[in-house]
Amino acid sequence: MTRPTARRGAGRPRTPVLSRDRIVDAALELIDDGGTFSLGLLAERLAVKPSSFYNHISGKDDILAGVQERITDAIDAGMFERLPWADAVVEWARAYRAAFVAHPHAIALFATAPVMGAGRTLRMYEQVVTGFRAAGWPLEAIIPAIVAIESFVLGSALDAVAPATILEPGPDAEAVPLFAAAVSARDLRAAAENMTAADLAFATGLRAMIDGLAASASR
Amino acid sequence: MTRPTARRGAGRPRTPVLSRDRIVDAALELIDDGGTFSLGLLAERLAVKPSSFYNHISGKDDILAGVQERITDAIDAGMFERLPWADAVVEWARAYRAAFVAHPHAIALFATAPVMGAGRTLRMYEQVVTGFRAAGWPLEAIIPAIVAIESFVLGSALDAVAPATILEPGPDAEAVPLFAAAVSARDLRAAAENMTAADLAFATGLRAMIDGLAASASR
């Protein structure tokens, strides 16, 4: 048996064949590296000509849709079929935040990129909307609530990757005594509850948002 | 009277003298342009050597602190002295979101940059914490609540600059019928209430978060 790659000859670099998956992988790596995303930079990273992309994808939006799918693949939404609404939202929001904590540079991109073409991401939304509907939410109230939760989750993912000392006032502490005291009190509380400051803020906000949404839905 | 700049000679470009304000202005412009922020790129934009910055600022963090101040200068927090807590939070959150809608590329940076050195931003926080304290909030519960609100506001600012059609399922609509129906119902509702979809999600989430926080504070 001869492996197909052996036919290429010894002097030729063993570059995997270009594919949609490989383009999307490289796009996510480029985004994770924190730079600007462009087809030119992506082609450079893959050592191909930009024109060769078009055998596999239809353009930049198609690549970003693939990246959205790749990230949201980590967000299980099956809990909406198993758990009561409020518990399911907690689990979903946690998984959602974790998926973006793993890719913080994708947050702004995801928050502003159309979902069209990201079929697997759309199916996640279908599961979530189905869960809201089953819990009795009026159809016209569901998307605003989901978008509100997502905005909170994405902002919280940014907070989770911030330095733990982000709110330490430093040399200005004397000028802002109540703020400095509140930050110290928060730090003591987080330590006592064995949580990071970011996890404490996330748990606080998620509880508040879910309680508030539940109250609005029952009005 | 001779203007001081006239002394420079006719052939010399009239470049304003470098100052902390001018460096911070240029840094915010660089961020607004959506690229990567670095001292090298900033020096290039100002047509100076990076070493010349150090007569005016102590380093990159100092510039970013200046940018934070510049953005948060637009966020009045005086309402906490005038309005009941819940009304003040609504006003503050709206002003906060508007300030970042004007500088969306600064959102991820602001969410992860230390506040140390940003004296005017710290004074905004002092006013907010004072408002929470006056409303009876326990000291250790204030910062988690404020950070939760900020996370929601920053995520909502990203949503506000996203295309209005971001959630349109497009050709996949048949595969996600309930989601597609929920998006249409949301669009009709937003039109009937004369709001953008993003404003509707923001109002929904802010109401929920404030109601939920108020309920938690009174427990």
Side-chain angles (χ1 to χ4, degrees):
Chain A
M1 294 282 285
T2 310
R3 288 188 307 154
T5 48
R7 290 184 196 147
R8 290 183 175 184
R12 193 154 167 193
R14 236 189 102 210
T15 311
V17 174
L18 208 58
S19 66
R20 187 172 201 276
D21 270 355
R22 192 156 171 259
I23 294 169
V24 169
D25 281 344
L28 184 52
E29 284 171 24
L30 187 61
I31 293 164
D32 284 345
D33 285 353
T36 313
F37 175 79
S38 74
L39 290 185
L41 288 169
L42 186 60
E44 205 174 286
R45 174 175 285 251
L46 284 162
V48 299
K49 288 186 186 136
S51 59
S52 62
F53 288 151
Y54 294 93
N55 295 320
H56 309 280
I57 53 100
S58 64
K60 187 177 170 180
D61 282 352
D62 192 18
I63 299 177
L64 293 180
V67 170
Q68 286 201 50
E69 289 183 310
R70 193 63 53 89
I71 296 173
T72 56
D73 282 347
I75 310 172
D76 174 33
M79 66 285 280
F80 281 97
E81 292 167 23
R82 295 188 304 268
L83 298 176
W85 174 83
D87 295 341
V89 174
V90 168
E91 292 296 304
W92 179 63
R94 282 187 189 151
Y96 199 131
R97 174 171 170 257
F100 280 93
V101 164
H103 302 285
H105 292 291
I107 291 172
L109 209 62
F110 180 86
T112 55
V115 78
M116 198 183 293
R120 300 200 302 276
T121 305
L122 282 165
R123 284 197 284 283
M124 174 192 76
Y125 282 121
E126 181 75 0
Q127 286 183 289
V128 177
V129 172
T130 303
F132 274 65
R133 201 74 180 111
W137 278 69
L139 198 58
E140 71 277 9
I142 294 176
I143 298 294
I146 290 174
V147 172
I149 294 165
E150 286 185 298
S151 293
F152 170 65
V153 165
L154 292 177
S156 297
L158 285 173
D159 184 51
V161 300
T165 55
I166 185 170
L167 289 182
E168 297 305 327
D172 288 321
E174 282 183 27
V176 291
L178 202 53
F179 174 72
V183 171
S184 297
R186 185 274 313 261
D187 289 345
L188 285 172
R189 182 181 159 200
E193 299 187 16
N194 201 19
M195 293 172 90
T196 66
D199 285 350
L200 182 57
F202 179 63
T204 299
L206 186 58
R207 185 77 270 148
M209 178 148 319
I210 290 173
D211 288 351
L213 287 175
S216 80
S218 65
R219 272 198 292 267
Chain B
M1 291 281 286
T2 308
R3 288 189 306 154
T5 48
R7 290 184 196 150
R8 291 183 175 185
R12 193 155 168 192
R14 236 189 102 211
T15 311
V17 175
L18 208 57
S19 66
R20 188 171 201 276
D21 270 354
R22 194 159 168 258
I23 294 169
V24 169
D25 282 343
L28 184 53
E29 283 171 25
L30 187 62
I31 292 164
D32 284 345
D33 285 351
T36 313
F37 175 78
S38 74
L39 290 184
L41 288 169
L42 187 60
E44 206 174 286
R45 176 174 283 252
L46 285 162
V48 300
K49 289 187 186 135
S51 58
S52 62
F53 288 151
Y54 294 92
N55 295 321
H56 309 281
I57 52 98
S58 65
K60 187 177 171 181
D61 282 352
D62 192 19
I63 298 178
L64 292 180
V67 170
Q68 286 201 50
E69 289 183 311
R70 192 65 52 91
I71 296 174
T72 56
D73 282 347
I75 311 172
D76 174 34
M79 67 285 279
F80 281 96
E81 292 167 24
R82 296 187 303 269
L83 297 176
W85 175 84
D87 296 340
V89 174
V90 168
E91 293 295 304
W92 179 64
R94 282 187 189 149
Y96 199 130
R97 174 169 169 259
F100 280 94
V101 164
H103 301 287
H105 291 291
I107 292 172
L109 209 62
F110 180 86
T112 54
V115 78
M116 197 182 294
R120 301 200 301 276
T121 305
L122 282 165
R123 284 197 284 281
M124 174 191 76
Y125 281 121
E126 181 75 0
Q127 286 184 289
V128 178
V129 172
T130 303
F132 274 65
R133 201 74 179 113
W137 279 69
L139 198 59
E140 69 278 9
I142 295 175
I143 298 295
I146 291 174
V147 172
I149 294 165
E150 287 185 298
S151 293
F152 170 65
V153 165
L154 292 177
S156 298
L158 285 173
D159 184 50
V161 299
T165 56
I166 184 170
L167 288 182
E168 297 305 326
D172 288 320
E174 282 183 27
V176 291
L178 203 53
F179 174 71
V183 171
S184 296
R186 184 275 313 262
D187 289 345
L188 285 173
R189 183 182 159 200
E193 299 186 16
N194 202 20
M195 294 172 90
T196 67
D199 285 350
L200 182 57
F202 179 63
T204 299
L206 186 58
R207 186 75 271 148
M209 171 108 31
I210 291 173
D211 289 350
L213 287 175
S216 80
S218 65
R219 270 198 292 269

